[in-house]
Amino acid sequence: TPSPMPNAWHMRDITILAAILGLVALAFAVGAIAFGAFVLGLDARQLQTLAFVALVSAGQANVYVVRERRHMWHSRPGIWLVLSSALDLGIATSLALTGTLMAPLRVPVVAAVLAGAAALALLLDAVKSLLMMRLRPT
């Protein structure tokens, strides 16, 4: 949603917000890898694939969270964003499931990462909302 008036960006607050959202996304990726290693017993090559899927899906979650000042569901994303996200996730999951250019993962593992990324989007949105109340990034 465009701003009704020109924004005065407060770079310190934007940097704090970005760093905290980045740390939450990093915790998601590390948690997914740790789960894959210690609970699922994946080997090193499969963990690399898991990391790839986790980073791609966390990146998509982040895009939907930061595109809106308010909660991410306050405005509908554009068709090109939705299509590019679907293509991005489709390519990443297809590569991971078929083992093309990487070790293959089972469908439940990839599905769990995608579901975790959806939960991550909700968590990131909540964190963003709390920080936006305390900070004044725009």
Side-chain angles (χ1 to χ4, degrees), residues 1 64 67-78:
T1 309
Y64 285 94
R67 59 174 276 284
E68 174 65 58
R69 287 179 194 88
R70 298 171 295 171
H71 288 290
M72 65 180 172
W73 54 81
H74 276 244
S75 67
R76 230 179 357 187

Side-chain angles (χ1 to χ4, degrees), residues 6 9 16 18 25 32 34 37 39 61 66 74 76 81-82 91 97 107 113 120:
W9 290 19
I16 291 169
V39 176
V66 301
H74 276 244
R76 230 179 357 187
L81 177 61
V82 173
I91 290 170
L97 291 173
V107 171
V113 173
L120 172 67

Side-chain angles (χ1 to χ4, degrees), residues 5-136:
M5 298 173 45
N7 290 331
W9 290 19
H10 303 278
M11 292 310 295
R12 178 186 164 275
D13 294 344
I14 290 172
T15 303
I16 291 169
L17 179 63
I20 292 172
L21 292 178
L23 288 173
V24 173
L26 176 64
F28 168 76
V30 170
I33 295 166
F35 187 81
F38 300 118
V39 176
L40 300 177
L42 300 178
D43 65 30
R45 292 183 63 235
Q46 290 172 312
L47 289 174
Q48 288 175 337
T49 304
L50 182 65
F52 168 71
V53 174
L55 290 172
V56 168
S57 58
Q60 288 299 316
N62 195 40
V63 165
Y64 285 94
V65 170
V66 301
R67 59 174 276 284
E68 174 65 58
R69 287 179 194 88
R70 298 171 295 171
H71 288 290
M72 65 180 172
W73 54 81
H74 276 244
S75 67
R76 230 179 357 187
I79 188 69
W80 290 110
L81 177 61
V82 173
L83 290 174
S84 64
S85 292
L87 183 63
D88 187 31
L89 290 171
I91 290 170
T93 56
S94 295
L95 292 173
L97 291 173
T98 61
T100 305
L101 305 173
M102 59 189 77
L105 292 176
R106 295 185 327 266
V107 171
V109 175
V110 174
V113 173
L114 295 176
L120 172 67
L122 296 174
L123 175 63
L124 286 173
D125 193 64
V127 169
K128 176 193 74 176
S129 295
L130 288 172
L131 288 171
M132 292 286 276
M133 285 189 289
R134 297 204 185 285
L135 303 173
R136 49 185 172 85

